[in-house]
Amino acid sequence: MLRAVVHEEAIVGAARRAAARTTRPAVDGLGRDEGAVSAYVERFGNTLTEAGIPRLASRVFAQLLADDDGRMTAAELTESLEVSPAAISGAVRYLTQVSMIGKERERGSRRDVYVVHTDAWHEAIMRRDHLLGQLSSGMQAGVDAVGGMRTAPGQRLRLSIEFLDFVAESMATMSIEWDRRKADIVAGWPPS
């Protein structure tokens, strides 16, 4: 049943993209060049892979960033990246777990739509803030367990805790500064 639904979604998505290709030239009136977009997805996907993100998750993220509305179903991702539905499933699971994309239900449908937010990097990085606190408090118990501050492991752990606390404080300030800067950046943009 699931395969049939995924196959049907792929067919619908493929038909939609085929129609778009026949009505949209290789370079559209807005300057979008489909060949250049495909090359970008592969290049940026490789860059993300070199930075430590799994290969297919990197390509999915790049594809969503380059999509007109930043929203694609699993079937559409399968078709555009020419990979299996199972591979897409693993990639989007990873990306949602690390908050690089979101998952929404398409209204009136059972299909999930994967969404990259306009400010995707800010969202993903700022959601790490809670993780820093968990790491810091988790390491705190280790300081006493290894003999406290008079031991080399205790000093390493304390320094790690202080660094994580510093990063968390800095991220809060950075987020406020970014919101101001982003407002200035987008103020002159045409509506999309």
Side-chain angles (χ1 to χ4, degrees):
M1 176 73 177
L2 181 61
R3 280 183 186 252
V5 170
V6 169
H7 181 68
E8 182 180 330
E9 289 176 10
I11 291 170
V12 170
R16 185 182 70 165
R17 274 187 297 287
R21 280 193 296 272
T22 60
T23 59
R24 183 168 53 185
V27 177
D28 67 17
L30 298 175
R32 182 180 177 90
D33 178 336
E34 293 303 319
V37 169
S38 293
Y40 153 78
V41 166
E42 293 306 315
R43 273 193 320 273
F44 190 56
N46 287 337
T47 300
L48 293 172
T49 299
E50 290 171 9
I53 298 174
R55 176 153 169 61
L56 187 54
S58 297
R59 293 177 65 214
V60 166
F61 186 71
Q63 182 68 47
L64 284 167
L65 280 174
D67 187 64
D68 284 340
D69 63 359
R71 303 170 55 85
M72 297 179 81
T73 65
E76 291 169 333
L77 288 164
T78 295
E79 195 264 330
S80 66
L81 297 173
E82 299 177 349
V83 296
S84 73
I88 291 295
S89 177
V92 297
R93 184 178 324 110
Y94 171 84
L95 291 169
T96 54
Q97 285 173 346
V98 298
S99 302
M100 290 180 74
I101 66 171
K103 180 169 87 170
E104 300 173 359
R105 190 60 66 142
E106 198 169 75
R107 187 177 289 187
S109 170
R110 294 179 52 179
R111 295 190 312 176
D112 288 328
V113 178
Y114 299 97
V115 180
V116 66
H117 302 287
T118 301
D119 200 4
W121 289 108
H122 178 251
E123 295 279 330
I125 290 171
M126 289 301 123
R127 288 191 179 151
R128 303 300 167 143
D129 192 28
H130 75 282
L131 176 62
L132 296 175
Q134 291 173 335
L135 290 172
S136 178
S137 63
M139 281 190 278
Q140 185 59 49
V143 174
D144 293 333
V146 298
M149 292 300 296
R150 65 183 186 282
T151 67
Q155 292 169 4
R156 272 195 304 274
L157 285 167
R158 170 52 54 201
L159 196 56
S160 295
I161 292 165
E162 292 298 331
F163 175 74
L164 292 174
D165 291 347
F166 169 75
V167 170
E169 291 167 15
S170 298
M171 285 177 67
T173 302
M174 183 177 57
S175 182
I176 293 166
E177 291 175 9
W178 171 245
D179 287 340
R180 277 190 234 131
R181 183 172 179 184
K182 180 175 72 172
D184 290 341
I185 292 168
V186 301
W189 287 3
S192 55

